[in-house]
Amino acid sequence: MKKCGNKYPDAIIPELASVFAQKDSNAPGYMSGPKLIALFNGLGFADCYKFPGVGIVTPEDTGLSRTQYAIKRLSDLNDAFRLPEALTAFLEFNKGNAALSESINSIFENYQIHSPIVEFPKPIVADVVTEPPVERPKLAEFRQTNLATVKPIEQPQSNPQHDTGEIKDPYFDSIPVGRKIAFISYSWDDEKHKGWVRKLANDLFANGIFALLDQHLPAGYSLTHFMNTGLNIAHKVIVVGTPQYKEKSIKSLSGGAVYEESIIHTELMDNIATTKFLPIVRVGTFSSSLPPLLRGRIGLDFSDDAKYPTLISEIVREIYDVPKHPIPTLGEVPSFDYGDLSPREIADLKKPESDFRKKQDRKWLDRLLGAFSFQLMHNYLTDYPTWVDERIFISIDIWNAIIGNPAFNIYDPTLSKLIADFHALWHQVEMIGLNYYTSEPNTGKVRFHGLCHDVFVSKEAEAAYSKIINLKMEMQPILKNLALYIQDNFEIDVEETSAAFLESLKR
């Protein structure tokens, strides 16, 4: 590594790391794990972010926190006399934020050391058109969102760089203003597969869509910059599934497919209702070729080459938000002629226990039970939360989507309360678990990483563990009552539905 500065005292590194890895997500200059890694990727480190559960991964360590990671890399750069380069890159990444410059300068002043960034140079990186981050909708807001509404084609905002004619980025500045953009995520299986993906990109270009493809990049271009920016500005992300893509995205610790999948996974977890990601299968099946959060989404099967022309037109429609079968206009509720029915009979039709309402409840119930196992849940609730079957997380993701559907409604008041109470507690457990569970490859389980050799790593971890146990104890009687009520009032064999769900996960 080249020298471009001095070696500074080691004691200054943790304080600088606290600026790089701020804990307040609303603070200026806050950087998430993937963004922090992208910064150091640009400084020559081959690190990545593995989600869920693992976190920051380097060639030397796994599961580092943002602060630990920042200390590690800043120490490495300080040893190589490159700390000023890292500080400059950090401020360039944050558009030369004055408050961040002052924070860094004050740290050096406290050590009576001349700051290397007293006058911050003008950023040399190109601005790119970015979309605002998508916040996870609250359940009440999510239920009111009309997911079925057909959106008009949105035109991207004009890029000032295009207006001035000044080209700062040889790739992204070549995108014409007002065109749809599609990012293609795939794995480099072999030359034949790369050629097929290139043909897909060419056909999108022929239909007026700018396809972001790494094979089009000029020599020397940063792949990390391409992935971060491309996934951010794309209207659609086409994920080309193959068995190798799934293998790399789940088990590998480095590589483009892993990096892209970690960003995709994070956005899907933040906004499960998004339609930005379009999975397609080139080889295999949706189950064998795509990660769990993608294989449960509606996609297209490209394994049969004879169907390629038809499927390309469907992809083009999806990118332009012009559905092949648009939702029809909803008419007015008809006025029914009850004929010779008596007033009492008419009143009975309108009661909550009417056949119509019970049939509607049964439809929603079938969807929920199609993604649920009472036996699996019973084992989960009665075991300690140290190890958890990963199928529990698949089940809660599907329940969140079903219950979050604005059309979801249970007329039966008892059933509605049982489902709502159970889901609310389950959702609380999920939110706590996101911070403390780590995937264990090839085991089918996730581990509570707040314990180390049966000793809690922190008071926060111990409190979280205790909270999960208490919530699970509250869920146990509700689960029992829910099973009994479904069997008695809807004549559903819950053991049969549980087995069917577990079998579906094997396919």
Side-chain angles (χ1 to χ4, degrees), residues 159-234:
N159 188 334
Q161 296 175 20
H162 293 303
D163 297 339
T164 62
E166 179 184 0
I167 297 179
K168 296 182 180 179
D169 189 307
Y171 183 73
F172 286 105
D173 282 1
S174 67
I175 302 174
V177 175
R179 293 302 185 99
K180 286 289 186 177
I181 302 171
F183 185 98
I184 302 179
S185 176
Y186 69 106
S187 58
W188 292 357
D189 297 3
D190 50 43
E191 289 303 319
K192 180 179 178 181
H193 182 61
K194 290 170 67 175
W196 186 90
V197 173
R198 190 164 57 250
K199 171 177 169 52
L200 174 66
N202 292 343
D203 289 335
L204 293 178
F205 269 94
N207 283 277
I209 298 164
F210 196 101
L212 302 177
L213 183 66
D214 54 10
Q215 297 181 52
H216 295 160
L217 296 175
Y221 198 89
S222 168
L223 279 174
T224 303
H225 174 64
F226 166 73
M227 291 184 286
N228 283 333
T229 304
L231 287 168
N232 190 26
I233 70 172

Side-chain angles (χ1 to χ4, degrees), residues 44-272:
F45 294 98
D47 308 321
C48 68
Y49 192 86
K50 184 66 175 174
F51 189 91
V54 178
I56 297 177
V57 176
T58 72
E60 307 89 5
D61 297 293
T62 298
L64 296 174
S65 69
R66 291 184 306 114
T67 301
Q68 291 170 331
Y69 176 66
I71 291 174
K72 179 181 181 64
R73 287 307 178 220
L74 289 174
S75 296
D76 292 340
L77 291 166
N78 190 32
D79 291 340
F81 302 95
R82 294 180 61 199
L83 190 60
E85 183 183 347
L87 300 176
T88 299
F90 174 70
L91 292 174
E92 287 177 349
F93 206 94
N94 290 283
K95 312 298 183 187
N97 186 290
L100 296 176
S101 297
E102 292 177 5
S103 296
I104 293 174
N105 286 336
S106 65
I107 292 174
F108 282 92
E109 290 173 2
N110 291 337
Y111 284 85
Q112 298 182 344
I113 300 173
H114 179 71
S115 172
I117 56 158
V118 172
E119 293 188 12
F120 175 65
K122 182 180 179 181
I124 58 175
V125 294
D127 294 336
V128 296
V129 180
T130 59
E131 298 174 357
V134 180
E135 296 182 357
R136 178 190 286 269
K138 296 179 180 177
L139 186 58
E141 298 171 348
F142 187 49
R143 299 176 89 174
Q144 297 172 4
T145 304
N146 186 0
L147 301 179
T149 302
V150 179
K151 298 179 180 179
I153 297 176
E154 298 179 1
Q155 300 294 339
Q157 295 295 317
S158 174
N159 188 334
Q161 296 175 20
H162 293 303
D163 297 339
T164 62
E166 179 184 0
I167 297 179
K168 296 182 180 179
D169 189 307
Y171 183 73
F172 286 105
D173 282 1
S174 67
I175 302 174
V177 175
R179 293 302 185 99
K180 286 289 186 177
I181 302 171
F183 185 98
I184 302 179
S185 176
Y186 69 106
S187 58
W188 292 357
D189 297 3
D190 50 43
E191 289 303 319
K192 180 179 178 181
H193 182 61
K194 290 170 67 175
W196 186 90
V197 173
R198 190 164 57 250
K199 171 177 169 52
L200 174 66
N202 292 343
D203 289 335
L204 293 178
F205 269 94
N207 283 277
I209 298 164
F210 196 101
L212 302 177
L213 183 66
D214 54 10
Q215 297 181 52
H216 295 160
L217 296 175
Y221 198 89
S222 168
L223 279 174
T224 303
H225 174 64
F226 166 73
M227 291 184 286
N228 283 333
T229 304
L231 287 168
N232 190 26
I233 70 172
H235 298 93
K236 284 284 184 184
V237 176
I238 300 172
V239 181
V240 184
T242 65
Q244 288 192 46
Y245 181 89
K246 179 181 177 180
E247 181 80 9
K248 291 178 180 179
S249 64
I250 293 178
K251 296 182 180 180
S252 297
L253 295 179
S254 62
V258 178
Y259 189 80
E260 290 168 8
E261 201 277 332
S262 70
I263 298 175
I264 293 170
H265 195 118
T266 302
E267 189 164 342
L268 286 173
M269 292 296 290
D270 285 342
N271 183 14
I272 198 168

